[in-house]
Amino acid sequence: MKSTYRCSSNIALVKYWGKKTGGIQLPANPSISFTLRDLYTETTVSVEGNNTTGKPAFDFFFEGQPKPSFIPKLSDFFDRVEREYSILKAFRLHIHSSNNFPHGTGIASSASGFGALSCCLAALEHQHTGKVLESEQISRTARLGSGSACRSMYEEPAIWGIHPEIEGSNDEFAIPLPYPMHSAFHEMMDAVLIIDAGEKSVSSTVGHGLLKGNPFAAARYGEATLHLTEIIQALKTGNMSDFIRIVEQEALQLHAMMMLSNPYFILMRPATLSVIEAVWAFRRDTGISLMFTLDAGANVHLLFPKAQYQQVKNFIESQLLEYCQNKQYFCSAIGAAPVRIE
Ligand code: PMV
């Protein structure tokens, strides 16, 4: 038995930053993201021989090479999902994974990686037992590997975390946006500018943990909940200026929380700020709906409608490449569900 899946990365518009006490990887606030169609992981899982160890047994290759540093995170993941996947008890797994974007660019691959792996597990479980796992169950599995991975399951924007006004929203798995989206948002793009390709000085696991006991955390969770209400309204009505305000406010609040932590830290670099200022000037001068967002690192994601691709590309290549490490940036369309590859 063998299964191969492609799963896209995602970028949060309203950010998940902080976990609930109790449970495993439950978000302290709801979030919403776009999947990045052209930035993905492809994973193949095959079963090799019977597993006689009594616990999940696997080997893991990343871009063709054994990757011992990934083993502890994968072991924790398999321990968490073992009860739901009988294949883990029955067989030894052989996992091969690769990204279509270069490693060491600061583009996180944990979401696409755990997303693709979870899709493979579900497909193998189906082959082995006939049990059909729906997207929501696969999303739940992915969450147990990396929280934000649960949002990589849908072509539509994905919502994860309980929100009082969104039916079906919950902390266990992500759901697709349950409303039609205005045509203004149907063809968006993301250009990811590689500002710093190095390892992050503070991991997101540590960052999430620092919200515990942080006096500003409760206010931040309230803001995220409000921003989700507002951004959904903007997505429904096509209100681009509200959308831009919320997306940029969320990016800055995420990084503000890092500065308000104890110990405090800063993941933006001087070039991150230079890009933000240049984006604001470009938007003011041209009226083009170009906005930035950030994840937990120095890289800048630029979101814009595809219709403006040429102007934005010219702007990036003439004015922003000087801020990018090795002049690197990657462009992706928005929206992709996982794809099974034969
Ligand atoms: O899934 P994690 O634990 O890597 O956390 C992701 C956190 C952010 O990328 C900063 C925000 C988000 O919602 O994706």
Side-chain angles (χ1 to χ4, degrees):
M1 290 198 301
K2 184 173 161 180
S3 173
T4 301
Y5 268 87
R6 171 184 297 176
C7 183
S8 290
S9 174
N10 70 73
I11 179 71
L13 308 170
V14 171
K15 310 290 180 181
Y16 150 57
W17 197 240
K19 302 183 193 200
K20 282 205 169 108
T21 313
I24 302 172
Q25 221 113 261
L26 299 174
N29 64 260
S31 58
I32 184 168
S33 61
F34 281 157
T35 43
L36 303 178
R37 190 185 307 163
D38 305 307
L39 296 172
Y40 53 78
T41 298
E42 279 185 5
T43 299
T44 299
V45 181
S46 51
V47 305
E48 307 230 322
N50 291 337
N51 180 5
T52 51
T53 64
K55 53 183 186 3
F58 63 95
D59 47 44
F60 179 76
F61 293 81
F62 181 70
E63 272 149 25
Q65 303 296 323
K67 199 75 184 176
S69 60
F70 285 17
I71 300 291
K73 213 168 175 203
L74 285 165
S75 290
D76 286 349
F77 169 66
F78 286 129
D79 290 345
R80 288 172 184 174
V81 303
E82 188 189 347
R83 274 190 301 148
E84 267 122 295
Y85 293 89
S86 66
I87 45 158
L88 292 173
K89 289 233 172 58
F91 306 108
R92 190 182 165 78
L93 303 187
H94 193 62
I95 309 166
H96 270 271
S97 199
S98 60
N99 298 333
N100 80 327
F101 47 90
H103 195 59
T105 48
I107 300 182
S109 63
S110 62
S112 53
F114 278 106
L117 179 57
S118 302
C119 291
C120 291
L121 289 185
L124 291 172
E125 188 66 17
H126 179 237
Q127 288 176 41
H128 183 49
T129 64
K131 183 163 125 190
V132 177
L133 288 143
E134 304 295 342
S135 298
E136 291 181 345
Q137 289 163 289
I138 305 173
S139 167
R140 183 180 176 282
T141 299
R143 183 199 103 232
L144 295 169
S146 168
S148 56
C150 74
R151 296 187 312 233
S152 276
M153 293 298 134
Y154 309 104
E155 173 147 24
E156 302 90 333
I159 297 170
W160 172 40
I162 294 174
H163 187 287
E165 289 151 35
I166 305 168
E167 216 187 306
S169 64
N170 72 93
D171 291 341
E172 291 280 327
F173 51 82
I175 57 168
L177 178 73
Y179 318 101
M181 193 164 56
H182 191 276
S183 58
F185 298 104
H186 282 181
E187 287 199 292
M188 296 288 285
M189 296 197 72
D190 183 3
V192 191
L193 308 192
I194 310 305
I195 304 296
D196 190 342
E199 274 289 299
K200 285 186 282 185
S201 55
V202 179
S203 71
S204 18
T205 308
V206 171
H208 286 294
L210 290 173
L211 289 231
K212 291 256 144 60
N214 182 325
F216 301 96
R220 163 63 200 150
Y221 301 148
E223 283 282 281
T225 305
L226 174 66
H227 285 158
L228 186 53
T229 306
E230 291 178 337
I231 207 164
I232 286 178
Q233 189 58 18
L235 285 168
K236 282 178 172 170
T237 59
N239 189 330
M240 189 58 88
S241 55
D242 268 9
F243 183 82
I244 293 174
R245 174 196 42 94
I246 299 158
V247 165
E248 295 192 342
Q249 216 168 5
E250 276 291 314
L252 294 180
Q253 284 193 9
L254 168 69
H255 284 257
M257 292 315 293
M258 300 175 192
M259 296 185 221
L260 292 169
S261 291
N262 183 14
Y264 45 83
F265 59 105
I266 300 179
L267 294 183
M268 291 188 282
R269 307 297 309 144
T272 312
L273 293 182
S274 301
V275 168
I276 291 173
E277 290 192 330
V279 166
W280 283 341
F282 176 81
R283 194 164 71 225
R284 200 177 49 237
D285 295 346
T286 63
I288 289 177
S289 301
L290 177 71
M291 73 208 84
F292 73 89
T293 186
L294 307 166
D295 56 19
N299 292 343
V300 185
H301 290 247
L302 298 183
L303 299 173
F304 55 96
K306 191 178 170 189
Q308 264 78 56
Y309 175 72
Q310 204 48 53
Q311 291 106 303
V312 171
K313 183 169 184 279
N314 292 345
F315 167 59
I316 292 173
E317 293 184 356
S318 63
Q319 290 186 52
L320 302 183
L321 285 192
E322 62 174 298
Y323 303 117
C324 299
Q325 210 168 326
N326 303 324
K327 303 205 181 314
Q328 281 192 101
Y329 79 103
F330 300 94
C331 247
S332 175
I334 297 299
V339 181
R340 179 167 203 164
I341 297 172
E342 292 313 325

